[in-house]
Amino acid sequence: EAEVAQSPRYKITEKSQAVAFWCDPISGHATLYWYRQILGQGPELLVQFQDESVVDDSQLPKDRFSAERLKGVDSTLKIQPAELGDSAMYLCASSLRTGVMRLEQFFGPGTRLTVL
Amino acid sequence: GDSVTQMEGPVTLSEEAFLTINCTYTATGYPSLFWYVQYPGEGLQLLLKATKADDKGSNKGFEATYRKETTSFHLEKGSVQVSDSAVYFCALSQPGYSSASKIIFGSGTRLSIRP
């Protein structure tokens, strides 16, 4: 069964360092999402891509976070510099092309970030 | 804005007990409603969904009915198993053909089942 792949699964870094997370969606899924899940809370959307274009980044802290999906397939989320409050699980999800009603989002296993 | 409120955990039950996890929502229009489950160390999995009022979503013995009059989508299971131990998230998304189809999640309810 096709799955969303994410790496690394765990990342420990010191504050002010740069970190990057990678996501490979299910093949053929045009829509890709990055969520942040703080411990004890539900996931919150950071950014949504349709192919290579950003369609929603209203909750992305753009002073330190960036996301790209250059070829419309895999994606990278970067934080520079990392802050203590960035410690969280970063989840990637994908779905078939939207525009034909909402479609199920499939989630990857996540990257757990700890900032010391 | 739209929001989801679900009962706080943790919820601890004995095996074969009846489960209810309450979920209410605030939203304009007619959102779709979901329950996601997150097993330890894994990502979220869609458990069930309902797209219109009075729809009942069901999967793996779990059920939830979309109640527009009470803006609720409570999760139920008649007889829980140890393997049901996980965190359960109630969620909604708005309808339409918009390319921005984000899901709004509740804060999650941790369920622990004792053998």
Side-chain angles (χ1 to χ4, degrees):
Chain A
E1 181 176 303
E3 295 180 341
V4 176
Q6 289 188 248
S7 67
R9 292 292 306 276
Y10 304 91
K11 179 70 178 178
I12 299 174
T13 190
E14 295 185 345
K15 64 180 182 179
S16 80
Q17 297 298 303
V19 293
F21 314 131
W22 177 79
C23 172
D24 191 13
I26 293 172
S27 178
H29 281 195
T31 310
L32 185 146
Y33 312 79
W34 283 102
Y35 290 85
R36 177 171 60 185
Q37 184 180 15
I38 296 171
L39 188 64
Q41 299 181 21
E44 292 183 305
L45 181 71
L46 291 174
V47 61
Q48 177 185 344
F49 290 91
Q50 183 78 358
D51 299 309
E52 66 277 7
S53 300
V54 173
V55 296
D56 186 352
D57 63 356
S58 56
Q59 299 303 310
L60 188 71
K62 299 181 187 63
D63 57 335
R64 297 185 300 108
F65 286 64
S66 64
E68 61 182 17
R69 194 183 184 198
L70 294 176
K71 297 183 179 179
V73 180
D74 60 336
S75 175
T76 302
L77 178 69
K78 297 179 181 177
I79 308 175
Q80 181 174 17
E83 296 181 353
L84 295 177
D86 296 332
S87 294
M89 177 78 84
Y90 290 83
L91 295 166
C92 180
S94 70
S95 66
L96 288 169
R97 181 177 299 275
T98 53
V100 287
M101 297 295 286
R102 305 160 314 285
L103 295 172
E104 180 179 350
Q105 296 182 22
F106 295 83
F107 285 80
T111 296
R112 181 168 295 285
L113 172 67
T114 302
V115 182
L116 303 176
Chain B
D2 296 349
S3 64
V4 175
T5 303
Q6 58 184 108
M7 65 187 289
E8 291 188 14
V11 173
T12 303
L13 297 172
S14 296
E15 204 166 22
E16 299 184 1
F18 184 86
L19 168 71
T20 299
I21 300 178
N22 291 336
C23 171
T24 58
Y25 68 90
T26 300
T28 57
Y30 301 89
S32 288
L33 303 175
F34 308 87
W35 277 100
Y36 280 82
V37 59
Q38 187 173 34
Y39 298 103
E42 299 184 13
L44 276 72
Q45 301 174 26
L46 179 64
L47 181 60
L48 53 84
K49 66 181 180 182
T51 58
K52 61 183 186 294
D54 299 325
D55 268 2
K56 178 185 285 188
S58 61
N59 186 26
K60 300 181 180 180
F62 290 89
E63 293 183 340
T65 301
Y66 190 142
R67 301 290 189 196
K68 187 159 181 64
E69 63 275 15
T70 55
T71 62
S72 65
F73 193 56
H74 305 321
L75 182 68
E76 296 181 336
K77 187 175 185 181
S79 177
V80 293
Q81 306 300 312
V82 172
S83 58
D84 294 326
S85 298
V87 181
Y88 292 80
F89 293 92
C90 186
L92 68 82
S93 72
Q94 287 290 5
Y97 291 84
S98 167
S99 59
S101 57
K102 69 179 180 182
I103 298 176
I104 296 172
F105 290 89
S107 57
T109 302
R110 181 175 299 279
L111 174 66
S112 295
I113 306 301
R114 295 188 299 256

